[in-house]
Amino acid sequence: MSEPTLKAPFPWFGGKSRVAPIVWEALGDVGNYVEPFAGSLAVLLGRPHAPRVETVNDLDGYVANFWRALVADTAGVIQHADWPVNEADLSARHAWLVSTGKERIERLAGDPDYYDVKVAGWWVWGLCAWIGSGWCSGKGPWVVESGRLVDGRKLPHLGDAGRGINRQLPHLGDAGRGINRQLPHLGTAGMGINRQRGIDEAALYALAARLRRVRVCCGDWSRVCGPSVWRHSKPAGVFLDPPYAQDLRADLYRVETDVSAAVREWAVRAVTDAPELRVVLAGYEGEHAMPSDWGVVAWKAAGGYGSQGEGRGKSNAGLERLWLSPACNAVEGVEAAA
Ligand SMILES: C[S@@+](CC[C@H](N)C(=O)[O-])C[C@H]1O[C@@H](n2cnc3c(N)ncnc32)[C@H](O)[C@@H]1O
């Protein structure tokens, strides 16, 4: 029987909810699933089978803190996320998150039990009210300079991105997004929160329950790709969704690393060493040249941040590809990679 699928309560650039069914068709019901670039966990949450051994990772500490805190103290996260959209709060909380909040979650890497519900709740609240990329990037009316909080409007203008005065309005569209998003209610599979009904606590508790046994790591992708992570339960499946090559996109992540080529090289090598490993690699057309026994399948993304997708995100939406290692199941539309 198919498991109910869940969704993250926030928008994430490059989120893969639309393609999750194809990824799972290709991977099958793997005994061990690894997702080194987890972001909004769209693929893990779209798993149609009962969970088995699962490990996720993201370099962004706010992401890892949110998932850890949600499982450990769902009520605490809800309490801090439950707040109306207010531009002054958006600016002030952003400044707090990139200074005090950032210091607070530095403990994540050293302490496996550590999480911070206030950082988690404010982060997810702001992510849904903020337009486009840049939440928790440190750019805003109040910024942190040399460890001190200063009024960004008094700083000199430094290039096009500007700072301070260049502040943006919070997201005020009818559709809302993520935690404040007006989305169809899908029972317990629905999104966490929306403006009219407030927080859908049941959906957040369902997410917390789903993630109860998921191992959440916070660091570079390569740390969770070693055989010690996936070898013990077979078959193993790895879904690789690195930030796409930076010359192919406009939106940026808070933590940026140019790892697309290194990830491809790892994937080819890993499958040569362990041919039974099922690997699915996401990228844009032409981004990865894979061996001829790999498959490639085209799919269409929403573009950018879902309904907000414009410009480059929208035009890139038709370029999305998944490369499938030889041990993956065949899926409709798959062709030889080379
Ligand atoms: C394309 S997004 C993944 C989206 C995800 N599949 C989803 O559905 O939401 C890439 C993610 O990689 C993370 N990231 C960037 N560099 C990384 C690195 N070196 N190691 C691990 N994660 C990294 C970013 O924070 C971002 O969440």
Side-chain angles (χ1 to χ4, degrees):
M1 200 179 76
S2 215
E3 291 288 303
T5 57
L6 303 163
K7 277 193 174 162
F10 54 85
W12 199 248
F13 169 60
K16 295 294 183 297
S17 55
R18 279 192 178 200
V19 78
I22 302 180
V23 175
W24 286 110
E25 209 184 320
L27 292 179
D29 186 10
V30 285
N32 193 326
Y33 174 69
V34 186
E35 195 173 334
F37 301 90
S40 65
L41 288 180
V43 170
L44 178 121
L45 295 174
R47 183 171 192 164
H49 333 105
R52 298 171 76 180
V53 180
E54 296 171 327
T55 309
V56 302
N57 171 76
D58 201 286
L59 187 57
D60 189 330
Y62 294 99
V63 173
N65 177 61
F66 175 77
W67 293 123
R68 236 191 227 180
L70 186 72
V71 171
D73 184 357
T74 316
V77 174
I78 290 172
Q79 185 199 333
H80 287 95
D82 190 5
W83 197 247
V85 174
N86 177 319
E87 190 174 6
D89 291 337
L90 197 59
S91 155
R93 289 179 172 201
H94 182 252
W96 184 88
L97 281 168
V98 300
S99 49
T100 310
K102 187 161 174 259
E103 277 168 29
R104 282 165 67 152
I105 58 169
E106 268 160 19
R107 266 186 70 189
L108 274 174
D111 180 349
D113 297 322
Y114 182 79
Y115 57 89
D116 190 305
V117 285
K118 181 169 169 179
V119 174
W122 282 17
W123 176 80
V124 73
W125 166 86
L127 199 50
C128 300
W130 189 266
I131 296 177
S133 58
W135 177 243
C136 287
S137 66
K139 293 182 188 138
W142 285 87
V143 299
V144 180
E145 287 281 317
S146 309
R148 284 180 49 240
L149 194 58
V150 293
D151 186 343
R153 288 160 294 194
K154 295 184 181 147
L155 290 172
H157 181 75
L158 300 172
D160 282 349
R163 286 190 301 179
I165 205 105
N166 229 353
R167 86 156 89 168
Q168 55 183 349
L169 271 174
H171 188 78
L172 301 172
D174 278 351
R177 294 185 311 151
I179 216 150
N180 294 305
R181 183 189 298 199
Q182 178 76 53
L183 273 181
H185 192 64
L186 306 172
T188 52
M191 297 282 286
I193 296 160
N194 74 39
R195 270 186 206 131
Q196 275 66 40
R197 288 193 299 264
I199 292 184
D200 181 347
E201 296 195 6
L204 292 180
Y205 277 101
L207 265 178
R210 170 64 182 86
L211 298 175
R212 181 71 181 78
R213 312 230 168 269
V214 176
R215 303 168 323 170
V216 179
C217 299
C218 176
D220 190 62
W221 65 279
S222 52
R223 296 164 65 240
V224 293
C225 284
S228 60
V229 177
W230 47 261
R231 198 172 33 203
H232 47 83
S233 316
K234 291 184 176 165
V238 181
F239 175 55
L240 295 166
D241 188 16
Y244 296 175
Q246 288 176 19
D247 54 341
L248 299 177
R249 63 191 157 96
D251 284 296
L252 296 177
Y253 294 99
R254 193 187 70 78
V255 275
E256 270 295 341
T257 54
D258 203 357
V259 291
S260 164
V263 171
R264 170 181 61 250
E265 281 157 26
W266 176 85
V268 173
R269 206 174 46 247
V271 167
T272 306
D273 294 347
E276 73 284 3
L277 186 62
R278 302 177 188 178
V279 177
V280 176
L281 168 64
Y284 285 146
E285 181 184 27
E287 187 173 356
H288 300 299
M290 304 306 278
S292 57
D293 54 351
W294 282 61
V296 62
V297 62
W299 65 282
K300 189 129 184 3
Y305 283 84
S307 62
Q308 278 195 344
E310 291 300 339
R312 192 110 194 224
K314 275 262 189 278
S315 58
N316 280 350
L319 301 179
E320 298 278 3
R321 298 290 181 273
L322 292 178
W323 284 270
L324 315 181
S325 72
C328 286
N329 300 318
V331 302
E332 198 183 327
V334 70
E335 294 173 0

